[in-house]
Amino acid sequence: MASSPRFVRNPALPTILPQYPGNKMIGREYCNGEALYEPSFGTVLKWQLSKNPQKEEKKADTWVPAVVDCTGFLESREDGLVWLGHASFLLRVAGRTLLFDPVLFSSLGLRRRHPLPCHPEQLTGLDYLLLSHGHRDHLDEQSVKLVARQNPQLQAFGPLGMAGLLRGMAPALPVQEAGWWQSFDLGSEAPFELFYLPASHWHRRGLTDMNQVLWGSFLLRLPEGRTLYFAGDTAMAGHFALIEKQFGPLDVVLLPIGAYKPGYMMQLSHVNPHEAAKAANILRAGHVVPMHHGTFDLSDEPASEPLRTLEQVAAGGMLRGELHAPAVGEVMPWQNWE
């Protein structure tokens, strides 16, 4: 007998979208919006048994992002945004330091193609750890253990179900969970607001935890209204229009552009570069920073293709906002971007 749907949220946090009932669950699984989405093992098997039509091109493509040392920024107290590779960012704003989706080390099936722009031991003075979802290329146990140990003041923010995952990694780390369209409680002295917003994705880390941790995106809003949006992992879906309606136009958006081939396997999990540009345009983004490319080999497209394609889209006038494609470790003064 099928389980009846129920709707969940964190009752201790405000929900900002009027009439939103909470995240839909069927049984123990979070839905991807209204529908239950479970990636098919058969699709993965098809991919493994199929020939990549770009195999030779991918083999010859040795491009990796440039890397610059960001030690000086870490030792300063200056505001700025730094890409650490893949979907990992360090953000310092109004005296607070935030770390997004840190994956600082190579692990089984995830080999870094370029070094970090700093030593992991230099990641101190962190205030907030933001975790968009539980996939291993966004939530790395060794990285969480390290930053929690080095930053006893650290607070973690993430989706419903995240506290259970982190309990086994960093038992003393305070974790605040939110559902979609909820505002985190940062305390009365916080210099900005932080919201947890939708994404079109799914969750799995083991054999028995399919969709038992929610997934989503983050938006930070400063008192003067300036916004920074971190899209997490997402496919193309209607949530971008809803976010724009609630918060747009957005100032700076960090959008994934890689791991999109083959389309029959990836299109319900990730955006391709054209879809990322479309999402940025829907959000009315003033500035676009690409991520989720170049660091790990996760899919069939050649390494340089995602960024090259997005740059072509921008050069053709099909990207509304200004494109910023930083080196890993490059400090971006995002609050000064006009």
Side-chain angles (χ1 to χ4, degrees):
M1 183 176 180
S3 301
S4 298
R6 57 194 175 97
F7 295 88
V8 298
R9 69 182 86 193
N10 183 343
L13 298 179
T15 299
I16 62 168
L17 190 67
Q19 308 331 213
Y20 183 66
N23 284 92
K24 185 177 179 180
M25 295 190 79
I26 297 177
R28 300 173 65 192
E29 294 191 45
Y30 290 97
C31 292
N32 199 17
E34 287 296 315
L36 196 62
Y37 172 55
E38 297 177 334
S40 166
F41 176 74
T43 303
V44 177
L45 187 62
K46 175 184 176 182
W47 175 49
Q48 291 178 335
L49 297 177
S50 300
K51 179 177 173 61
N52 179 5
Q54 292 181 280
K55 180 179 179 181
E56 295 306 317
E57 182 185 353
K58 178 177 177 177
K59 185 178 179 181
D61 190 337
T62 58
W63 176 86
V64 292
V67 179
V68 297
D69 191 299
C70 66
T71 300
F73 174 74
L74 296 178
E75 293 175 346
S76 76
R77 296 306 301 170
E78 297 174 2
D79 283 357
L81 175 69
V82 175
W83 184 39
L84 301 179
H86 197 56
S88 303
F89 285 87
L90 188 80
L91 172 68
R92 191 178 295 125
V93 54
R96 305 291 173 92
T97 305
L98 302 83
L99 182 63
F100 293 79
D101 285 4
V103 181
L104 310 174
F105 307 98
S106 294
S107 59
L108 183 65
L110 285 174
R111 183 184 66 82
R112 291 187 68 94
R113 299 179 60 250
H114 62 77
L116 270 180
C118 60
H119 296 294
E121 293 76 17
Q122 294 174 308
L123 293 173
T124 58
L126 306 180
D127 299 295
Y128 302 144
L129 174 63
L130 274 56
L131 300 168
S132 67
H133 68 294
H135 278 153
R136 295 177 189 273
D137 62 319
H138 292 254
L139 173 57
D140 172 60
E141 182 170 353
Q142 186 181 358
S143 301
V144 168
K145 287 180 175 179
L146 177 95
V147 296
R149 185 173 64 247
Q150 294 182 168
N151 298 274
Q153 74 285 357
L154 190 65
Q155 302 175 63
F157 299 86
L160 300 171
M162 181 59 72
L165 269 184
L166 295 181
R167 198 171 297 122
M169 302 179 189
L173 179 64
V175 183
Q176 192 174 132
E177 298 181 343
W180 291 355
W181 302 109
Q182 291 203 285
S183 174
F184 289 102
D185 181 2
L186 304 183
S188 59
E189 301 301 316
F192 46 75
E193 297 173 283
L194 182 65
F195 304 91
Y196 196 65
L197 301 177
S200 183
H201 204 56
W202 53 285
H203 167 83
R204 188 172 197 171
R205 283 180 75 90
L207 296 176
T208 61
D209 66 342
M210 175 66 75
N211 293 336
Q212 291 181 22
V213 177
L214 188 58
W215 49 91
S217 55
F218 291 98
L219 185 136
L220 181 149
R221 183 168 65 186
L222 292 169
E224 70 271 19
R226 195 159 181 79
T227 52
L228 182 142
Y229 174 66
F230 175 83
D233 239 358
T234 187
M236 193 68 200
H239 62 284
F240 291 115
L242 293 174
I243 290 168
E244 190 282 325
K245 184 177 180 181
Q246 187 73 23
F247 293 101
L250 300 187
D251 292 298
V252 179
V253 300
L254 315 182
L255 283 173
I257 64 169
Y260 52 87
K261 289 183 177 178
Y264 64 77
M265 186 174 78
M266 297 297 192
Q267 64 181 353
L268 295 180
S269 298
H270 299 144
V271 290
N272 63 38
H274 289 95
E275 291 170 328
K278 181 179 179 180
N281 292 342
I282 291 171
L283 293 166
R284 292 193 290 157
H287 301 270
V288 179
V289 179
M291 64 173 180
H292 205 273
H293 72 104
T295 301
F296 300 116
D297 181 5
L298 301 175
S299 51
D300 280 357
E301 73 271 5
S304 67
E305 184 180 284
L307 182 57
R308 186 173 69 249
T309 302
L310 185 62
E311 288 175 336
Q312 291 168 352
V313 169
M318 293 179 286
L319 182 66
R320 175 192 179 103
E322 183 178 349
L323 177 62
H324 303 264
V328 174
E330 179 182 342
V331 181
M332 293 172 278
W334 70 280
Q335 285 181 262
N336 297 327
W337 291 345
E338 297 297 331

